[in-house]
Amino acid sequence: MENLKRLSDEDLMLRFQNGDENSYSELVERYKNKLMNHIFYYMKDRESAEDIVQDTFVRVYLNKDKYKEIAKVSTWIYTIAINLAKTALSRSGKMNSFSITGKDGENDYEIKDKHSSTDGDVMKNELSDIIMSSIDSLEEKFREIVMLRDIDEMSYEEIAALLNIPTGTVKSRLNRARLNLRDALTDYIR
Amino acid sequence: MNKCSRIEEMIKNENTEIDFIADTVDSELSGHLAGCSDCESLIADIKSVSDKIRSLSKVSVSADFNERLWSKIRQIEQVNAESSEKEADRSIPFFSRAVYYVSGIAAIVIAFIYVSSLGILDLNNSNSIQPGTSGMSVASEYDQSDDKTVTDSLESLGKNVTEDEELRLKVSTGE
């Protein structure tokens, strides 16, 4: 049996379009955590984020024939997920209000560790809160690019394709966003 | 003392690339950095911000993610299949009904044409069918009408014969 892990996303998609569900499963494996990580920073809630990621893959499954090879599979999947997240946020009226706390007022950015926290962990969590708060305070066009580049580690070209803007604009927005973050985080970065 | 803002201006430019992940910095920028501590410090700060963002905890899906996903997909497929079946069931009776309707209308049209060809629907004809009259009564009236005409003719003939006989008697008697 051919090793699916060696195939490109586009090859997997083509095989899936021809009825190979294993290829679909491989795509799910490749993107489920990346998407979860990305969408979590939109939704600020693990359950909602996972629902969005599930719905994204359901749509990929049901609309496989709508995918055309002119776009990268990653771009297509991220576009579906981000649109679903934005729709969910606008329905709940949270589109422009990013909070760093979860539903229960707890820090919801960190994966809860079953083991006891050390002082170092607490400080790290606090710093994470501050960084996320600073990212949240950015204009959406800057925040989105910081998330896609520094959190999801997407290439400039992938971000440009996803947001439908020139690569140069991606670079300048990213640099401006980092300058703003540097000003906001001066006390914490040295 | 004025701080150098050259790098700050440069990194707002669309063509300036500072890629901390690939660790590549624009050549013009790196040339300036070698002799400017202000700008070197700024770049170090920006790199630190980028590193800290990338070090944020990653969030993963729950362990039963795949199982729930496939369950959802199968459920949707089942619903879609059922609605397709219902759609198919609905389409067959509709087709049958359409055939019935068309057949019925065709039968009525043929009957109308046939009846029209007999001429009994001509309203100017005294023998035409009037509303509320059955086929038997029309036939009966038609027969009675014929009988009356024959009777009238016979009566008229008898009357004429009688008049001729009377005239012949008058002539023979010389009146």
Side-chain angles (χ1 to χ4, degrees), chain A residues 93 97 99 103 150 173:
Chain A
S97 63
S99 158
K103 281 180 180 171
D150 285 335
R173 281 188 190 174

Side-chain angles (χ1 to χ4, degrees), chain B residues 28-100:
Chain B
E28 189 186 345
L29 196 141
S30 58
H32 176 76
L33 285 176
C36 181
S37 59
D38 286 342
C39 291
E40 196 177 23
S41 171
L42 176 67
I43 290 293
D45 287 352
I46 291 173
K47 186 177 186 313
S48 177
V49 168
S50 178
D51 290 343
K52 284 196 165 40
I53 292 170
R54 278 187 282 126
S55 71
L56 286 173
S57 301
K58 303 287 184 193
V59 185
S60 303
V61 296
S62 54
D64 63 347
F65 180 88
N66 289 9
E67 194 183 323
R68 288 192 296 118
L69 175 64
W70 280 109
S71 162
K72 204 181 267 187
I73 288 171
R74 297 299 176 226
Q75 216 174 334
I76 292 170
E77 280 186 329
Q78 196 180 340
V79 169
N80 286 348
E82 282 172 4
S83 63
S84 298
E85 277 176 23
K86 280 181 187 171
E87 195 65 35
D89 288 347
R90 227 177 282 141
S91 69
I92 293 169
F94 173 77
F95 179 72
S96 298
R97 277 202 304 275
V99 169
Y100 294 148

